[in-house]
Amino acid sequence: MKIEPFSGVGEQAKYIPALAKVNPDRFGMCLCSVDGNSYAIKDADVRFSIQSISKVFALAMCLSVKGEALWSRVGKEPSGTAFNSLVQLEAEHGMPRNPFMNAGALVLADIILTSFADPENDFLSFVRALCGSGDLEYDIEVARSERETGYLNAAIANLLKYHGTIECDVERVLHFYFLICSLEMSCRELAAAFLAFANHNIKFEYSGITLTSSQVKRMNALMQTCGFYDEAGEFSYLVGLPGKSGVGGGIAAIYPLRYSVAVWSPRLNGKGNSVMGMKALEFLTTETEESIF
Ligand code: DON
C-alpha cells in the first residue's frame, strides 16, 4: 500500500479565506504510545488550525460540567449529513444530532459560555494542560476571517436560537465557536492531548476539567460514530479507530489503551476530511494489522 499517489489530491479549505493561504503540501504525523514513547515525522512540529478537532475538547468540558444532562441539549446519533448541514436541524426542531456537527458544537459553545467564568481562557488553559504546551494560542486572523464569511454557521446559530436550544446571544456563540476552531496546534501537541482519551484508565483531570473513565470511553464512542460526519462509516471501514477531523487538514485518532496519533495534510476530500491524513491512518492500521476491530 502506497500513499504518495494521493499527495496532490484535493484542496485546502478555501471557504475560510485565511486557510486558503496555507501550503497544501505540508504533511506531518506523530504517534504517542501510552507507555511514553513518541514517533514524529516531517512537519509534526508545525502548528496549524485544528478547526473541528476543537469540538472534542469542547465536549470534554461540557460533559465535565453537565454529565448525562448534556444529552437533553444535543443528540448522540450519527447524522449522515455534512458537518454544516442545516436540513436535519430544521426537520428535528432545533435539536442537533450530535456534538460534532457544527449545530451540536454551537450548543457546546453556548454551554461553555454559560458554565465557565472566563470561557476563552478556560478553554485555552484546558487544552494547554492536556498537551503540556503552555504557549498554545488562538489564531485571531483565522477566527475573524471565518466570521466574515460564516453565513451558514450564522444561519445554524439563528435556527438554534429560534428553537431555544442556545441561551446566549447568537453573535457571542459564533465568536466563541470560531475562536476555538482557530486554535493552533502541531501534530505532536494533538497526539499528546489525545493520549488522555486513549488512556481512559488514568485519571482525567486537567486544569479543573475532570471526566470519569466511563465518560472518556463514551467520548471515544462518539468519535467513532460521529467524528467524520457523512464519512464516519468510511473512516471506520478504512482505519478502524475513533477519531476527529478538522478542515485545517488535521485528524487525531486513538487506539484505546495503546496510542494516540495525529496527522496533518491540508488537502481535503469532498466531505471536508484530509485525503492524505485518512490514507496515512489507513496505512498505519493496515500495515500494523491493528485496529479496534
Ligand atoms: O465551522 C466550520 O465550518 C469550521 N470552523 C470547522 C469545520 C470543520 O472543521 C469540519 N471538519 N472536518
Side-chain angles (χ1 to χ4, degrees):
M1 187 182 169
K2 293 248 178 290
I3 67 169
E4 287 80 10
F6 299 91
S7 63
V9 178
E11 287 193 330
Q12 71 270 55
K14 293 190 171 151
Y15 76 98
I16 302 174
L19 290 186
K21 295 182 199 160
V22 175
N23 174 355
D25 297 318
R26 292 283 211 172
F27 181 90
M29 189 164 178
C30 181
L31 185 149
C32 294
S33 65
V34 296
D35 55 17
N37 294 311
S38 67
Y39 310 87
I41 55 166
K42 294 195 170 187
D43 298 320
D45 290 302
V46 179
R47 287 182 175 163
F48 58 94
S49 197
I50 67 165
Q51 292 298 318
S52 284
I53 302 172
S54 63
K55 296 167 181 173
V56 175
F57 306 132
L59 176 61
M61 289 176 78
C62 291
L63 263 183
S64 113
V65 286
K66 294 283 178 203
E68 285 299 292
L70 174 64
W71 307 118
S72 65
R73 300 277 302 272
V74 58
K76 43 180 149 52
E77 291 296 336
S79 70
T81 60
F83 60 89
N84 53 8
S85 171
L86 206 108
V87 179
Q88 214 166 43
L89 189 65
E90 181 170 29
E92 297 180 357
H93 313 291
M95 176 77 164
R97 271 286 174 100
N98 66 64
F100 294 146
M101 50 195 312
N102 289 9
L106 286 162
V107 174
L108 299 181
D110 185 64
I111 291 170
I112 294 172
L113 287 170
T114 50
S115 310
F116 288 83
D118 188 0
E120 280 81 359
N121 280 321
D122 292 338
F123 183 89
L124 201 52
S125 303
F126 171 50
V127 187
R128 283 175 173 175
L130 262 179
C131 71
S133 295
D135 65 344
L136 292 187
E137 292 292 351
Y138 299 118
D139 184 333
I140 307 297
E141 192 207 335
V142 168
R144 193 180 300 127
S145 164
E146 185 167 13
R147 178 62 196 106
E148 279 166 15
T149 53
Y151 306 112
L152 199 43
N153 279 319
I156 295 170
N158 276 289
L159 196 54
L160 290 167
K161 184 75 181 172
Y162 170 81
H163 284 286
T165 320
I166 55 174
E167 290 174 32
C168 299
D169 177 60
V170 165
E171 267 313 314
R172 181 75 184 101
V173 175
L174 287 170
H175 174 270
F176 182 70
Y177 169 75
F178 292 138
L179 196 67
I180 64 172
C181 285
S182 81
L183 185 68
E184 289 205 303
M185 293 175 78
S186 66
C187 288
R188 194 185 296 275
E189 289 163 338
L190 268 176
F194 270 68
L195 199 57
F197 300 102
N199 241 340
H200 62 257
N201 57 344
I202 302 235
K203 191 168 173 53
F204 190 108
E205 186 165 11
Y206 300 87
S207 188
I209 307 297
T210 58
L211 294 175
T212 64
S213 78
S214 164
Q215 284 175 316
V216 174
K217 281 194 283 182
R218 286 177 171 163
M219 288 199 51
N220 295 339
L222 283 160
M223 284 195 245
Q224 187 76 49
T225 51
C226 310
F228 292 78
Y229 318 105
D230 44 347
E231 208 167 35
E234 186 76 354
F235 190 79
S236 279
Y237 182 81
L238 295 176
V239 178
L241 299 176
K244 184 74 206 78
S245 60
V247 292
I251 298 177
I254 59 140
Y255 189 129
L257 303 180
R258 298 290 299 278
Y259 63 77
S260 58
V261 60
V263 58
W264 173 49
S265 170
R267 293 185 189 272
L268 308 178
N269 64 22
K271 312 262 180 177
N273 299 318
S274 170
V275 174
M276 283 285 278
M278 283 184 65
K279 278 285 156 206
L281 294 174
E282 180 189 351
F283 187 72
L284 172 72
T285 56
T286 306
E287 290 296 308
T288 58
E289 295 184 9
E290 286 192 353
S291 85
I292 67 165
F293 298 107

